Amino acid sequence: MSKIIVVGGGIIGLMSAYMLTKKGYQVTVIDKGDISDSASFGNAGLVSPFDELPLSRPGIIAGTLKLMLKGKSPLMIDSLSTKIIKWLYLFAKNANPQRVKRTLALFEKYGEITMQHYIEMAKEFEFDFHHSGVAMAYTNEESFEKETVLCKNNPHREVWNYEKTKDMIPCVNEKVVGSIFLNRNAHLDPELLMKNLVKLLKEKGVEFILNTEIINLEYKDNKAVKAYSKNEEFEADNFIISTGSNVSLSRKTGLDMMLTPAKGYSMTFKMDKDLKPKTAVLFIDQFLGFIPRKESVRITSKLELGNYDYNYKMERFESILNTLRPYIVDFEMKEIRYWTGFRPLTPNDIPLFGRDEKYNNIIHANGMGWLGITFAPAIGDIVCDLIDKNLENKKSDDVLLFSGFYQGC
Ligand SMILES: Cc1cc2nc3c(=O)[nH]c(=O)nc-3n(C[C@H](O)[C@H](O)[C@H](O)COP(=O)(O)OP(=O)(O)OC[C@H]3O[C@@H](n4cnc5c(N)ncnc54)[C@H](O)[C@@H]3O)c2cc1C
């Protein structure tokens, strides 16, 4: 059976390895770090394919500009390179009703697949998975009223008034007008998912080569034959490139990956049990996630373009808390862990995956943006199918439907 190298051990690489191992393939995961701190660890852990609008949607530009002028926008653009300008142009172009309709249908289809995988995986190993819905808390009466209308005769959306919201999210105050509860979505602990997935893959015989950055591939005819780092080279029959927001390796094959790193922040801390949310929460008007975990909670927010620095300034975390404070009661945040990382964001929320057109034993698996945890099992499944069934892109309905290589901007 053929040997497979996965370059990049984030959630996409690991889910691809997981699906391939199930079919009996010999898999090696190579990562430039030690698989302990990528975007796949510090995110909110929402599995939210259903009933949420994509980032690129009508009204987003005007709404964000308004917030920017008030200094309250979660979106920040630190530097405007030509790449970012092109990305923003495509983002604006895709924020139209037709694209949103198509994207929502795709999220629904691949959401079903992903959710079934997580339900099965939760029987195999622990990652604090709760298929128990997500509440979208509103602080703006007008936007809440608008959403409420969309809930009529929709069994997947429940309207919660302030009292019900307060009962489920005890730390909110009366400035929260109510919530819309999306009952099909889920949440999990991404750190546990990653750690226990690595452990399981090791038990199943997957080899991990850490602290090794793959800097290029060697090609013969229309195939890649070796991946090499500064000091070593690695041979394989198939190569999966799942390097998250760092797409330099994919670009070396000649592919123009239209994605940009979008920096986000999280704070994980302990809080009074009585005030801890009983459900995962999205403060919609503040673009902020508030997620309960076994022993702690996690707040995530911000989307910064053109900022590639892993370091952070404490004022960014302060600004996240300042956005939230008017809507919550006072509570102590204990043992805070600060984190920052990058979403690999495409301009139309559609991932970029499939076989390389030039070197057909290379599979790119990237561009999961704000939904990498959500769709990782579905993408892993499709990547595995490409190898296992020896499919060309044009013979894979999933690549044709859900990949930005074909559903491009
Ligand atoms: C604040 C925040 C909140 C989020 N919340 C959610 C959420 O609630 N739900 C959701 O679904 N998604 C969420 N996301 C998005 C999600 O975290 C990402 O989409 C996902 O983690 C991307 O996974 P990945 O495997 O593509 O990349 P990564 O996790 O970044 O992994 C890529 C790996 O590749 C390695 N690598 C890179 N280059 C090389 C190289 N040349 N050689 C070897 N190794 C290399 C890196 O070291 C890294 O380990 C959030 C993201 C952020 C930042």
Side-chain angles (χ1 to χ4, degrees):
M1 219 172 212
S2 67
K3 185 180 172 195
I4 297 152
I5 283 181
V6 176
V7 183
I11 192 62
I12 303 303
L14 295 190
M15 280 295 177
S16 304
Y18 173 77
M19 300 296 173
L20 286 159
T21 310
K22 278 189 154 186
K23 301 263 180 193
Y25 285 91
Q26 189 195 339
V27 183
T28 300
V29 176
I30 305 179
D31 199 284
K32 70 173 181 172
D34 60 359
I35 313 194
S36 67
D37 197 35
S38 65
S40 302
F41 283 83
N43 63 78
L46 294 170
V47 183
S48 50
F50 304 121
D51 307 306
E52 271 177 57
L53 284 173
L55 215 52
S56 168
R57 57 176 184 262
I60 189 87
I61 309 287
T64 308
L65 283 176
K66 254 191 237 165
L67 286 174
M68 272 177 159
L69 290 175
K70 287 185 198 162
K72 286 185 175 172
S73 172
L75 172 72
M76 288 181 69
I77 302 170
D78 275 37
S79 62
L80 264 183
S81 62
T82 42
K83 263 191 196 141
I84 297 274
I85 291 171
K86 186 172 174 201
W87 189 96
L88 285 169
Y89 165 73
L90 292 171
F91 179 79
K93 195 175 141 205
N94 278 278
N96 66 71
Q98 293 79 10
R99 177 69 255 177
V100 169
K101 193 174 168 190
R102 240 186 310 160
T103 302
L104 285 177
L106 291 169
F107 283 4
E108 188 86 16
K109 175 176 165 65
Y110 290 96
E112 295 285 354
I113 294 169
T114 239
M115 202 60 90
Q116 281 316 311
H117 277 303
Y118 273 129
I119 290 168
E120 286 309 308
M121 262 182 247
K123 295 175 193 160
E124 199 179 356
F125 65 101
E126 165 63 4
F127 48 95
D128 200 19
F129 178 66
H130 299 269
H131 193 190
S132 54
V134 175
M136 301 198 296
Y138 284 82
T139 54
N140 178 302
E141 194 124 25
E142 201 185 322
S143 43
F144 182 54
E145 292 303 325
K146 261 193 206 159
E147 280 298 312
T148 306
V149 175
L150 299 176
C151 297
K152 270 192 189 141
N153 304 321
N154 185 337
H156 307 309
R157 288 171 153 245
E158 297 163 25
V159 180
W160 291 354
N161 61 13
Y162 168 70
E163 284 71 27
K164 173 76 180 173
T165 302
K166 177 81 184 161
D167 177 43
M168 293 302 288
I169 316 165
C171 59
V172 297
N173 67 27
E174 67 289 344
K175 286 200 181 122
V176 170
V177 289
S179 318
I180 307 291
F181 182 63
L182 308 178
N183 60 19
R184 291 189 293 167
N185 290 334
H187 73 276
L188 52 79
D189 178 341
E191 278 167 310
L192 258 190
L193 173 69
M194 289 294 290
K195 278 182 193 159
N196 286 342
L197 192 49
V198 170
K199 191 166 161 247
L200 181 84
L201 291 175
K202 281 185 179 164
E203 283 163 12
K204 288 182 183 282
V206 172
E207 182 189 14
F208 281 84
I209 300 174
L210 303 182
N211 303 309
T212 303
E213 179 171 8
I214 298 302
I215 49 177
N216 214 337
L217 300 167
E218 190 179 305
Y219 309 101
K220 200 171 172 198
D221 304 325
N222 68 337
K223 290 203 179 311
V225 286
K226 278 178 199 164
Y228 53 91
S229 66
K230 238 179 179 176
N231 306 313
E232 285 172 280
E233 42 185 57
F234 308 91
E235 287 183 18
D237 304 297
N238 290 284
F239 297 83
I240 297 167
I241 305 182
S242 48
T243 49
S245 55
N246 173 8
V247 285
S248 50
L249 193 60
S250 283
R251 285 195 175 133
K252 281 184 182 162
T253 66
L255 189 72
D256 180 20
M257 292 288 254
M258 183 39 73
L259 68 78
T260 191
K263 189 170 180 177
Y265 297 75
S266 71
M267 276 172 272
T268 309
F269 56 91
K270 292 187 176 164
M271 68 183 282
D272 183 344
K273 278 200 179 88
D274 294 340
L275 291 175
K276 201 171 159 179
K278 297 173 192 161
T279 177
V281 189
L282 279 173
F283 284 84
I284 286 295
D285 303 315
Q286 287 69 32
F287 188 73
L288 191 148
F290 200 140
I291 319 296
R293 298 148 59 86
K294 252 191 196 138
E295 303 296 336
S296 58
V297 290
R298 177 170 283 175
I299 290 179
T300 61
S301 190
K302 296 238 184 263
L303 198 143
E304 296 177 358
L305 306 182
N307 176 347
Y308 310 109
D309 187 358
Y310 269 95
N311 296 317
Y312 51 77
K313 293 184 182 135
M314 281 311 290
E315 64 199 46
R316 293 286 207 262
F317 291 103
E318 265 312 308
S319 116
I320 293 172
L321 290 175
N322 286 340
T323 311
L324 183 64
R325 271 192 195 110
Y327 309 102
I328 52 171
V329 297
D330 247 0
F331 60 79
E332 194 189 349
M333 296 166 68
K334 289 173 248 173
E335 300 173 36
I336 310 179
R337 277 193 288 136
Y338 298 98
W339 175 91
T340 182
F342 297 90
R343 306 167 185 88
L345 200 62
T346 62
N348 60 355
D349 301 286
I350 295 294
L352 296 166
F353 63 94
R355 284 192 188 274
D356 190 90
E357 294 209 336
K358 240 200 253 163
Y359 308 107
N360 76 357
N361 64 339
I362 297 177
I363 294 172
H364 304 276
N366 216 323
M368 308 299 149
W370 56 287
L371 288 165
I373 294 294
T374 300
F375 288 118
I379 301 294
D381 211 11
I382 300 169
V383 166
C384 173
D385 246 22
L386 288 177
I387 291 175
D388 194 47
K389 298 184 180 151
N390 197 17
L391 296 177
E392 292 295 318
N393 287 345
K394 61 183 177 224
K395 297 279 180 197
S396 163
D397 290 348
D398 295 315
V399 173
L400 294 178
L401 259 182
F402 196 30
S403 169
F405 291 175
Y406 297 89
Q407 293 282 330
C409 325

